Amino acid sequence: MLGLMQSQPLLISSLIEFAERHHGDAEIVSRRVEGDIHRYTYRDLAARARRLANALDDLQLQFSDRVATLAWNGYRHMEMYFGVSGSGRVLHTVNPRLHPDQIAWIVNHAEDQVLCFDLTFLPLVQAVHAKCPTVKKWVALCDADKLPADSGVPGLSSYEEWIGAYSADYSWPEFDENSASSMCYTSGTTGNPKAALYSHRSTTLHAYAAALPDVMCLSARDSVLPVVPMFHVNAWGIPYSAALTGCKLVFPGPAMDGKSIYELIEAEKVSYAAGVPTVWQMMLGHMKPAGLKFSTLRRTVIGGSACPPAMIHAFKEDYGVEVLHAWGMTEMSPLGTLCTLKNKHLALSKDEQMKILQKQGRAIYGVDMKIVGGDGNELPWDGKTYGDLLVKGPWIVGSYFKGEGGNPLVKDAQDRGWFPTGDVATIDADGFMQITDRSKDVIKSGGEWISSIDIENIAMAHPAIAMAACVGMPHPKWDERPIVAVVKRPGTEVTRDELLAFYEGKTAKWQIPDDVVFVDAIPLGATGKMLKTKLREQLKDYKLPGQ
Ligand code: AMP
């Protein structure tokens, strides 16, 4: 039909072009590996991303070739987000917390051609570089004078010297919006990792969605601190949404401890921060004993694993900070749901509102979700019935990089493909989803399911408990019974019986754990999530009381 809108591909380069033109002087502040604070603007970032694009062209890197990073959250990493993808290459953010053998495996699987790393990770690069034959250029993200003379990495360049040799004049190429832009390997606990491959279209649509008022609600008035790493699903898309909104960005670099994060929030007047619960646990642990308060922080998005209600409560009541509980996955770019109230909930009491805000939240436009039973049929949205959570949408994986693992999608009666998340959840009549478990962590006692997240949340509400992990133990009569492994807060005391008594009245009697195991630490995976497989291994000789 004649008379349509312009057809323009949704490309990542358009985000940085927009930021440069309309928010050119908005600040990007980074704590650097060198320890100092670096400041510049979107205008500076855009120019340096273009220098990088010229440098990649000069290396003869082809369209869709992979460029890897092993880096903290910082301005140079952000330049790579735009320079690599904008010039048509694929940015591969590698998680430096993985084992060196896994990193070598991932770099080889992705066939990375350039690898840029923060100097913190030089020992890692020294351990893996000889095992990564596809990498033809190793770059340290530092000034030329910081480059170690005897790095042991042949041909190692400094990023500043490298891109400094190129012009900032560059025209971003135009190509199909469905081209690959970046990739991230899943933190899968079994088998080899698989990569989610994001496209320019999926990333741009996700950036729009993430900025919406009922999602992250980002604007040019915000000062935003992504604590969530840029190597974990693109820091939940914040670098892209930041360019789209022109908010001030504050990067924590390598200093991820509670004290450093708190000081940065205060110094840079951060209004909005994002991270996994373990990070906030550390920060609140630093603030509480010292009686510290926030002067500018208003909202924080918490996700990646279940946010304990006690944390949501503490943020709100003790610090006046609104927690937005979010759920998503590497395979979902990552945002799927976010928890914010609807108009009709505003009249509810604080307690009733809190019950809603503990859930993982409502689907964002662009994400469709449903729960299904073992027969694949959709289950009711009644807030009680739980089933396997399936999702579909334009920023959700269709298949993995190189087709690994075959077709992951489940077909419905209309022949549409749904991605099985591996999570078990309920959905209530208002569309609020609540995760009860990872399907592999579900505890089945006497044919009934017990939510390990519920059991952990209750323990976490006890003042003496810093961290809790609930796992099922084999039981001759009930198949499985829950136990809870807990880490005590320093300087506090609680006995097994006191903690078990704390469950009385907070959950059904048969769901109360059979035992409490005190541990020094709960094993965490590379993205800060509890590693229950490892915990089960540690508890392999454990016997339930009376067994
Ligand atoms: P990853 O791809 O490593 O980010 O892991 C995704 C998985 O983390 C999801 O499938 C969930 O099991 C878990 N997850 C993420 N956010 C939450 C949340 N808010 N509550 C409970 N589990 C979560």
Side-chain angles (χ1 to χ4, degrees):
M1 202 179 281
L2 269 180
L4 275 175
M5 300 296 114
Q6 297 176 12
S7 166
Q8 195 176 301
L10 298 172
L11 297 178
I12 286 173
S13 54
S14 68
L15 294 171
I16 195 61
E17 274 190 321
F18 178 83
E20 180 180 24
R21 219 167 138 72
H22 299 277
H23 303 283
D25 64 352
E27 253 193 318
I28 299 174
V29 180
S30 312
R31 196 195 290 278
R32 301 204 293 184
V33 172
E34 294 90 320
D36 59 347
I37 297 281
H38 173 274
R39 292 172 190 278
Y40 74 174
T41 63
Y42 282 98
R43 191 173 295 125
D44 302 320
L45 186 144
R48 284 164 53 90
R50 291 195 295 268
R51 284 183 199 278
L52 173 61
N54 274 321
L56 295 172
D57 281 4
D58 198 33
L59 263 189
Q60 314 277 306
L61 249 59
Q62 302 301 303
F63 192 71
S64 295
D65 277 350
R66 269 77 66 201
V67 175
T69 60
L70 274 169
W72 301 109
N73 291 8
Y75 66 103
R76 292 179 179 125
H77 206 173
M78 174 110 167
E79 288 163 14
M80 297 195 65
Y81 267 51
F82 293 97
V84 172
S85 305
S87 66
R89 283 85 190 200
V90 176
L91 180 77
H92 173 202
T93 51
V94 184
N95 185 340
R97 295 193 183 122
L98 295 173
H99 188 275
D101 290 347
Q102 250 175 329
I103 292 182
W105 188 93
I106 283 174
V107 169
N108 282 310
H109 189 262
E111 300 168 56
D112 295 329
Q113 302 223 17
V114 180
L115 195 148
C116 301
F117 61 96
D118 276 329
L119 277 179
T120 324
F121 306 118
L122 179 61
L124 201 52
V125 169
Q126 286 166 334
V128 300
H129 79 275
K131 298 178 199 156
C132 301
T134 61
V135 179
K136 56 185 184 197
K137 189 168 180 68
W138 298 87
V139 180
L141 293 164
C142 65
D143 291 324
D145 62 351
K146 296 280 181 335
L147 203 62
D150 50 353
S151 70
V153 183
L156 181 65
S157 322
S158 112
Y159 177 79
E160 294 302 333
E161 199 167 34
W162 181 40
I163 69 160
Y166 292 92
S167 158
D169 288 335
Y170 183 83
S171 295
W172 298 110
E174 207 169 276
F175 43 80
D176 184 349
E177 63 183 19
N178 288 302
S179 310
S181 59
S182 67
M183 65 196 299
C184 190
Y185 281 75
T186 59
S187 46
T189 44
T190 53
N192 283 327
K194 296 195 282 288
L197 188 60
Y198 312 109
S199 69
H200 285 259
R201 175 183 156 80
S202 70
T203 306
T204 317
L205 289 174
H206 183 270
Y208 266 117
L212 284 170
D214 268 355
V215 190
M216 295 216 205
C217 190
L218 295 178
S219 82
R221 291 168 298 290
D222 277 312
S223 169
V224 177
L225 178 97
V227 187
V228 53
M230 290 168 81
F231 55 76
H232 186 206
V233 218
N234 301 326
W236 299 348
I238 290 175
Y240 306 114
S241 298
L244 178 146
T245 56
C247 62
K248 172 176 173 179
L249 260 179
V250 184
F251 286 126
M256 302 287 272
D257 59 292
K259 181 171 182 287
S260 307
I261 300 280
Y262 172 76
E263 287 172 359
L264 202 56
I265 287 176
E266 287 301 299
E268 297 303 327
K269 299 190 171 30
V270 168
S271 57
Y272 184 90
V276 296
T278 36
V279 164
W280 301 128
Q281 192 78 28
M282 283 193 296
M283 197 176 61
L284 296 183
H286 164 72
M287 291 175 66
K288 202 171 176 180
L292 299 170
K293 296 279 178 206
F294 293 114
S295 36
T296 53
L297 189 70
R298 292 289 163 263
R299 303 184 321 284
T300 168
V301 66
I302 304 186
S305 48
C307 178
M311 185 179 284
I312 302 180
H313 191 267
F315 262 113
K316 180 97 193 144
E317 300 305 321
D318 303 343
Y319 301 99
V321 175
E322 186 189 353
V323 169
L324 304 163
H325 193 189
W327 167 84
M329 305 181 74
T330 306
E331 286 90 337
M332 299 176 68
S333 301
L335 291 176
T337 65
L338 221 114
C339 203
T340 53
L341 299 176
K342 292 184 172 182
N343 181 278
K344 68 177 184 183
H345 298 134
L346 300 180
L348 295 178
S349 70
K350 256 189 178 179
D351 284 355
E352 284 169 317
Q353 289 183 348
M354 190 54 93
K355 275 193 200 131
I356 299 172
L357 292 171
Q358 291 167 12
K359 299 190 176 195
Q360 275 73 9
R362 296 183 275 127
I364 302 162
Y365 168 75
V367 175
D368 198 3
M369 66 179 181
K370 64 176 178 178
I371 43 172
V372 297
D375 55 6
N377 288 331
E378 184 163 4
L379 294 169
W381 290 21
D382 58 12
K384 290 196 284 285
T385 311
Y386 39 81
D388 294 316
L389 182 62
L390 269 49
V391 287
K392 66 180 182 61
W395 59 78
I396 292 164
V397 88
S399 60
Y400 290 98
F401 177 55
K402 293 186 174 172
E404 293 294 345
N407 179 4
L409 304 188
V410 179
K411 287 283 171 80
D412 65 12
Q414 285 82 37
D415 209 34
R416 295 172 307 189
W418 291 76
F419 179 73
T421 63
D423 288 325
V424 176
T426 61
I427 304 178
D428 69 20
D430 290 323
F432 285 78
M433 184 274 286
Q434 184 161 29
I435 303 274
T436 44
D437 257 311
R438 279 303 281 167
S439 54
K440 59 184 184 321
D441 292 335
V442 153
I443 299 164
K444 218 160 185 191
S445 172
E448 295 286 344
W449 285 7
I450 297 176
S451 160
S452 64
I453 294 179
D454 284 352
I455 302 300
E456 288 155 11
N457 282 345
I458 296 172
M460 294 286 288
H462 191 285
I465 300 301
M467 205 182 256
C470 173
V471 289
M473 285 290 158
H475 188 281
K477 180 169 175 196
W478 304 111
D479 283 342
E480 273 188 325
R481 287 295 302 151
I483 65 161
V484 64
V486 293
V487 182
K488 278 190 283 198
R489 280 185 200 284
T492 60
E493 266 318 317
V494 60
T495 65
R496 167 190 184 274
D497 291 347
E498 281 164 357
L499 192 60
L500 292 180
F502 187 70
Y503 278 88
E504 301 281 345
K506 296 188 178 74
T507 186
K509 261 203 150 40
W510 63 272
Q511 295 184 339
I512 295 179
D514 278 15
D515 201 7
V516 176
V517 181
F518 292 95
V519 292
D520 293 332
I522 306 279
L524 297 179
T527 53
K529 298 177 198 222
M530 294 192 285
L531 266 189
K532 292 202 180 168
T533 37
K534 202 149 193 191
L535 180 64
R536 283 193 205 94
E537 261 169 47
Q538 288 175 3
L539 296 173
K540 67 181 185 320
D541 298 327
Y542 170 87
K543 294 259 176 308
L544 282 165
Q547 298 302 312

